[in-house]
Amino acid sequence: MLIGQSTHDVSGESPSAQFLDSLRKRRVSATVMHLDHYRTSAVAVGTDYIIIVQPLNPASQTVNTGDDSQEIKKSRPEDYDEDAEYFDSFTLSKTYKAFRVFAHELTTIANKATGVGNLKPKAAKLAKYVDLVTNLIESQHKKYMGKVSFAYVKGMAKQRSQIINGVMEATCEYYPTKVPYPPTSVSDVFMAEVASCIETFFLTDHASYSQHAMKVNKKESLPQPMVTEA
């Protein structure tokens, strides 16, 4: 955990076309690998959730998640393609508020579509994904916390990181594999808008971190109690 000023650099490059192709083929892994606690004022602290986005082959592979390694088991080994081009791994730095905005945008898109009429089966399945994301994110009530200990901040961030992992896993799993173009129905428009929302989420808030800075700042401490935005 980073203590003190945030050290991330959001000048990283955007995902390539290979990333979107991998997303369509269910070959993307996105996992919280680090929690960055930093001061937003003299008495307030914010938390960034550092997410590593990596290509996922159908065969088992080890994904670096920071201090430890987590083995991700793929589905069907026969799907492995030695000639496929895989995107370069990249890192996102997101606040929990960014996930609230993401969920709100998805809900707005879904409400607009479902208010018109029944959706086609694939679109209806995508609507369930939107409900899942919204329920997960909003399971953490939005309220202003008063003075709390750093231990409380770390505990809340750890709980939220598990929620975020669930959202990212569902997002990588439900991203539309094919969107009709041009869209000819409400369902087509809904799927295209959800896909665009997901792509924008992955295309923003890129970060690169210094491993040295992590090790140095990890030993510092924040004043207790502190004020935090929940």
Side-chain angles (χ1 to χ4, degrees), residues 29-216:
S29 168
T31 309
V32 175
M33 72 169 187
H34 188 72
L35 300 176
D36 180 358
H37 301 296
Y38 56 93
R39 302 179 198 277
T40 58
S41 71
V43 295
V45 62
T47 300
D48 281 356
Y49 298 83
I50 313 306
I51 302 165
I52 185 168
V53 183
Q54 296 183 331
L56 199 60
N57 292 331
S60 295
Q61 82 176 45
T62 298
V63 175
N64 179 16
T65 56
D67 295 335
D68 302 312
S69 291
Q70 176 181 349
E71 184 174 87
I72 307 295
K73 293 184 178 180
K74 306 301 174 236
S75 53
R76 299 177 298 176
E78 60 269 24
D79 287 341
Y80 181 75
D81 185 358
E82 292 183 350
D83 298 324
E85 293 185 10
Y86 296 99
F87 65 94
D88 292 332
S89 300
F90 58 91
T91 305
L92 302 175
S93 177
K94 301 282 188 180
T95 62
Y96 200 78
K97 181 179 179 180
F99 280 91
R100 290 194 192 277
V101 172
F102 178 56
H104 176 73
E105 290 174 347
L106 289 173
T107 300
T108 300
I109 294 170
N111 289 342
K112 182 173 62 175
T114 55
V116 175
N118 294 329
L119 297 175
K120 295 178 182 178
K122 288 185 178 180
K125 183 178 180 180
L126 197 59
K128 291 182 179 179
Y129 153 75
V130 173
D131 289 340
L132 174 62
V133 170
T134 301
N135 291 335
L136 283 172
I137 294 301
E138 294 306 325
S139 66
Q140 288 282 303
H141 298 295
K142 184 178 181 180
K143 58 183 179 180
Y144 185 81
M145 301 299 299
K147 292 184 177 180
V148 295
S149 68
F150 185 39
Y152 180 90
V153 172
K154 291 192 295 183
M156 182 174 64
K158 184 176 181 180
Q159 183 180 26
R160 287 182 171 182
S161 68
Q162 295 173 346
I163 293 173
I164 289 172
N165 280 338
V167 169
M168 298 309 294
E169 181 179 0
T171 299
C172 293
E173 178 64 27
Y174 282 89
Y175 179 84
T177 56
K178 185 177 181 181
V179 178
Y181 184 82
T184 58
S185 67
V186 172
S187 292
D188 293 349
V189 172
F190 168 64
M191 293 176 66
E193 290 183 348
V194 169
S196 177
C197 185
I198 292 173
E199 290 165 13
T200 299
F201 191 77
F202 276 110
L203 287 166
T204 54
D205 301 319
H206 285 223
S208 59
Y209 273 77
S210 166
Q211 293 294 330
H212 175 69
M214 287 184 183
K215 293 177 182 178
V216 171

